[in-house]
Amino acid sequence: MNRAALTEFAGRFGESRIGVASLAVTLTFLICALLAPLISPTDPYDLSRLQLIDALKPMGSHQVVPGEEFRASFAVEDGVAVAQGDAHGLAAQSCGDACLEVRLDAETPLASLQVRTLPAGASVEGASKHPVQNWWTVNTPAGNSVRIVSDAPLPETFNFSVIARSDDQPTDLVFHLGTDGFGRDMLSAILYGIRISVFVGVVAAGSAMVIGTGLGLFAAWRGGATDALIMRAVDFMLSFPAILVGLAILAVLGSGVGKVILAVVLVQWCYYARTSRSLALSELNKEYVEAARGLRLPAWRIMARHVLPNCMPQIIVLFTLNIAAAISLESSLSFLGVGLPLTQPSLGMLIANGYEYIFSQKYWISFGPGIVLLVMIVAMNLLGDRLRDVTNPRFER
Amino acid sequence: MAETLFEARDLSRIFEPARGALQQLSDRITGKQPAVVRAVDKVTLSVVEGETLGIVGESGCGKSTLARMITGILPVSGGERRYRGEDYVSFLARKRDALKVQMVFQDPMSSLNPRLKVGEIIGEAAALHRVVPRARVRDHVVEMLERVGLPADTITRYPHQFSGGQRQRIGIARALAVKPELLVCDEAVAALDVSVQAQIINLLMDIRQDSGLSMIFISHDLGLIRHLCDRVAVMYLGRVVELARTEELFANPVHPYTQMLLAGMPRISVERRAFMPIVGEIPSPLHPPSGCHFHPRCSSASGHCSRIRPELSEWTPGHMQACINAG
Ligand SMILES: Nc1ncnc2c1ncn2[C@@H]1O[C@H](COP(=O)(O)OP(=O)(O)OP(=O)(O)O)[C@@H](O)[C@H]1O
Ligand SMILES: [Mg+2]
């Protein structure tokens, strides 16, 4: 298209605010898809970075570094406690008669300190005892130390062990949209989900466009039995609901990105074939095609260089609408668990993952991806509709 | 004597209505013959080198169909076509030679591809078939544009930026660019304003004079035909009913249809003729009248006319006509 026509086209497109808004939203999503690795706060595919402690956090909570655990066992002989093996910074020393102080020399305040297997009669100051076991726990011990005391003098020799646990430390990383059951940041997961969904949608709708348009042009050019065969195949495919075809194919082939794309192509090629055939048939009747025949141009050249470019505007419109349809089909299949593999969560799978928690008030896991998917598909559909209105010659005033 | 350039013998074209596979099957079983249109029915004519042959007839009589068969765009249903004595089967197979017959189309709006620049429209075939060396294509296109009276910068513009007359010039340049010997102009000026028509006609006459091009000039405008053509064929419902040198045809029309056409022609002289005005509707080409197609509208029809299919026969030397009651 030349510049003047393009300017005019842009002007007509710009007349509708909804059209411009949907274009802006669609472009935003495309940018998100392209830049996901750069703009997302975490890498949701890096399983080694996931920690169970972050799981199911609501929106706006911080990521935490889980507290450390320090264990040591001590043997007391002649009133002197000696660490058995590595003490991990724990030490025990006498604090008078029938008193033994256990402390951790560290900056971080402890969340709890537990002393296990004390001799009979001994106890720990300010501790709560395990209901069954001989375990004494002090929460947030002052100065990171506790005292083992006893009414009677402590025995000359005995063994005990100590488990100190430091506090969880919040980090600067905020989970703006909460986390899912694996402790994955939902914002990052959504950004990567958009990336996968858009990739699958564009590649699948694009492949369907190439294959379908090719077949449609071939049918229009050959006519007769070839035409009838291809168009009956189109009717056959169109008679099944898309989701059913997708489910059947993935049930046979198993899941995977390539297979989802294959399923979408099988569902969508017929729309392009039907549209491009009818467009090509009307173009083939025009005199410029006869002129090209008269100039003895080869058939493929007439189709590719003369007929196809004149069919392209409507096919592009169909492409825009079909990207949205491909994304929603892929999401539906993933939601049903037959689409993409678990390691590459698309929006549909994120919604499905959150679905298990939705009745335990953990709405944010499904909520975010759901809204994003909805907005994306609506925007693309509006954009496609607007493009169709603008390119449709009957719309001309 | 000049060589015969193009020759058609018993050329026919049948259009069948589009039928679905089931319809075709049921027709075959019941033995039903689908209603067909004989758009062109056994037309025999020829063009000698340097000559301009006119084809005239009412709308729907098959002029465009005949033109498309002559240029080899449309396959024939019967009959044969020859170029310099060579059958079209082998002639059209040699793509470069087949360029010798070119066509100028009626509709200046749809005859140019809106997606291509004028330079590509004119130069594409010349480049592809090496009519001129690749490096010379641009110069060649500019030359063609000059020849049809358009500036060189036309090359980078698109068809929609031009008026109907300019577009028709582009269409003529496209045909000329592959160096044709026979130019078929199918109502090339019918869609244009009268003043623009005159310019295009003058252009065609100039080109014909410069290059000795042979032409088939199709029109329903008798004035143009008389002005431009050496010989004229008159068509009625797919058949040629009269064929003669232009002066002869206009002076001594033999076939009642020709007489009727000429009587309907606006003329400057006030001389009154005794011809009947055209009566009746043009019959549907789907159900043409039996025998002579013209008999329902003919004032001198006899009983035989509805039974006998009239053949084109020599009336006087060089003057062919197809009325059985003539004379
Ligand atoms: N592709 C086609 N399919 C079916 N019928 C056709 C086709 N092309 C032409 N016809 C029919 O053949 C007949 C002759 O058509 P044609 O276009 O050759 O007439 P014409 O003399 O050029 O008319 P006009 O002056 O209107 O251009 C018409 O009845 C038309 O309906
Ligand atoms: Mg015509």
Side-chain angles (χ1 to χ4, degrees), chain B residues 15 37 39 58-66 106 186-187 220 285:
Chain B
F15 287 113
V37 179
E58 285 163 306
S59 184
C61 70
K63 304 183 296 293
S64 297
T65 308
L66 181 60
Q106 172 172 3
D186 181 16
E187 313 238 21
H220 51 247

Side-chain angles (χ1 to χ4, degrees), chain A residues 192-357:
Chain A
Y192 274 78
I194 294 173
R195 187 177 163 85
I196 291 195
S197 289
V198 167
F199 171 80
V200 170
V202 170
V203 170
S207 317
M209 174 172 74
V210 171
I211 294 170
T213 306
L215 282 170
L217 291 185
F218 187 68
W221 167 49
R222 291 301 293 267
T226 317
D227 185 24
L229 197 74
I230 293 176
M231 285 306 118
R232 290 302 80 73
V234 166
D235 291 342
F236 180 77
M237 289 307 296
L238 284 175
S239 63
F240 293 107
I243 188 79
L244 185 67
V245 177
L247 271 176
I249 290 164
L250 293 177
V252 173
L253 298 180
S255 64
V257 175
K259 286 153 192 166
V260 169
I261 290 176
L262 179 71
V264 174
V265 169
L266 272 173
V267 167
Q268 289 190 342
W269 70 270
C270 40
Y271 296 102
Y272 295 101
R274 176 181 266 191
T275 307
S276 62
R277 171 183 173 267
S278 73
L279 290 172
L281 281 182
S282 79
E283 290 301 320
L284 283 172
N285 273 331
K286 295 197 177 155
E287 285 184 347
Y288 73 83
V289 174
E290 296 191 321
R293 289 226 183 92
L295 292 167
R296 323 299 171 199
L297 302 183
W300 64 265
R301 194 182 172 100
I302 295 179
M303 292 315 276
R305 219 172 118 81
H306 294 255
V307 174
L308 179 61
N310 282 292
C311 303
M312 232 30 221
Q314 277 97 321
I315 290 177
I316 295 282
V317 170
L318 193 61
F319 176 61
T320 319
L321 292 171
N322 271 353
I323 293 177
I327 290 176
S328 81
L329 179 58
E330 175 272 313
S331 295
S332 310
L333 291 170
S334 295
F335 182 82
L336 294 173
V338 293
L340 299 183
L342 265 172
T343 48
Q344 287 169 309
S346 70
L347 291 175
M349 185 173 293
L350 292 176
I351 296 172
N353 287 345
Y355 195 63
E356 345 169 356
Y357 302 104

Side-chain angles (χ1 to χ4, degrees), chain B:
Chain B
M1 194 181 151
E3 191 191 346
T4 302
L5 201 59
F6 172 82
E7 216 180 338
R9 185 162 300 142
D10 290 341
L11 212 54
S12 303
R13 175 68 207 198
I14 295 171
F15 287 113
E16 292 187 25
R19 291 175 304 163
L22 272 181
Q23 182 75 44
Q24 278 179 26
L25 194 69
S26 85
D27 282 357
R28 191 164 299 175
I29 291 168
T30 56
K32 202 175 94 188
Q33 289 291 319
V36 296
V37 179
R38 290 183 182 277
V40 173
D41 191 7
K42 298 205 168 171
V43 166
T44 299
L45 47 77
S46 62
V47 181
V48 296
E49 227 169 337
E51 166 187 59
T52 299
L53 173 72
I55 299 178
V56 67
E58 285 163 306
S59 184
C61 70
K63 304 183 296 293
S64 297
T65 308
L66 181 60
R68 283 165 169 73
M69 289 194 291
I70 293 171
T71 35
I73 295 170
L74 195 70
V76 299
S77 310
E80 60 172 4
R81 298 167 287 184
R82 291 183 174 278
Y83 190 80
R84 291 192 191 277
E86 180 188 6
D87 193 85
Y88 256 40
V89 176
S90 56
F91 172 66
L92 289 179
R94 284 180 286 113
K95 303 278 181 216
R96 233 188 109 163
D97 291 339
L99 292 171
K100 294 287 177 229
V101 186
Q102 283 304 315
M103 182 150 166
V104 176
F105 293 86
Q106 172 172 3
D107 180 6
M109 290 302 146
S110 77
S111 63
L112 304 178
N113 185 345
R115 303 262 154 195
L116 293 184
K117 289 182 185 156
V118 171
E120 297 170 300
I121 290 175
I122 298 176
E124 184 180 9
L128 188 76
H129 296 295
R130 306 283 157 87
V131 175
V132 291
R134 278 275 154 94
R136 279 245 317 120
V137 169
R138 209 195 121 87
D139 295 345
H140 184 63
V141 172
V142 172
E143 213 172 282
M144 290 303 125
L145 284 171
E146 258 166 31
R147 192 146 177 213
V148 298
L150 290 173
D153 69 356
T154 305
I155 248 182
T156 53
R157 296 164 70 185
Y158 286 86
H160 71 90
Q161 296 169 285
F162 296 93
S163 69
Q166 288 170 319
R167 284 161 153 257
Q168 207 57 306
R169 287 172 194 269
I170 295 170
I172 293 170
R174 171 177 62 191
L176 293 182
V178 293
K179 303 183 177 167
E181 292 174 341
L182 175 62
L183 193 63
V184 181
C185 302
D186 181 16
E187 313 238 21
V189 295
L192 305 176
D193 289 347
V194 180
S195 61
V196 184
Q197 273 191 8
Q199 293 170 12
I200 299 292
I201 293 293
N202 287 340
L203 173 66
L204 285 172
M205 285 172 74
D206 284 352
I207 290 166
R208 185 176 64 177
Q209 200 152 38
D210 290 351
S211 54
L213 209 61
S214 310
M215 272 193 204
I216 294 181
F217 192 86
I218 296 175
S219 180
H220 51 247
D221 183 338
L222 283 164
L224 275 183
I225 293 276
R226 185 175 202 171
H227 185 58
L228 274 174
C229 303
D230 302 316
R231 285 193 304 144
V232 183
V234 180
M235 278 184 81
Y236 186 75
L237 279 192
R239 294 177 187 167
V240 172
V241 294
E242 191 160 2
L243 202 168
R245 298 204 59 77
T246 309
E247 319 83 68
E248 166 75 7
L249 187 99
F250 280 83
N252 301 310
V254 176
H255 198 279
Y257 177 64
T258 317
Q259 294 171 352
M260 216 180 229
L261 274 185
L262 294 185
M265 186 182 168
R267 58 186 66 244
I268 294 135
S269 76
V270 287
E271 155 201 15
R272 283 225 157 257
R273 293 226 184 171
F275 292 144
M276 302 290 295
I278 293 188
V279 286
E281 292 290 302
I282 304 170
S284 155
L286 264 175
H287 306 285
S290 59
C292 172
H293 287 343
F294 187 60
H295 80 261
R297 295 166 78 190
C298 182
S299 57
S300 50
S302 65
H304 294 305
C305 291
S306 59
R307 273 179 276 119
I308 301 168
R309 181 199 159 125
E311 297 296 339
L312 203 61
S313 59
E314 194 142 65
W315 170 250
T316 57
H319 189 156
M320 317 279 284
Q321 70 86 32
C323 179
I324 52 172
N325 293 331

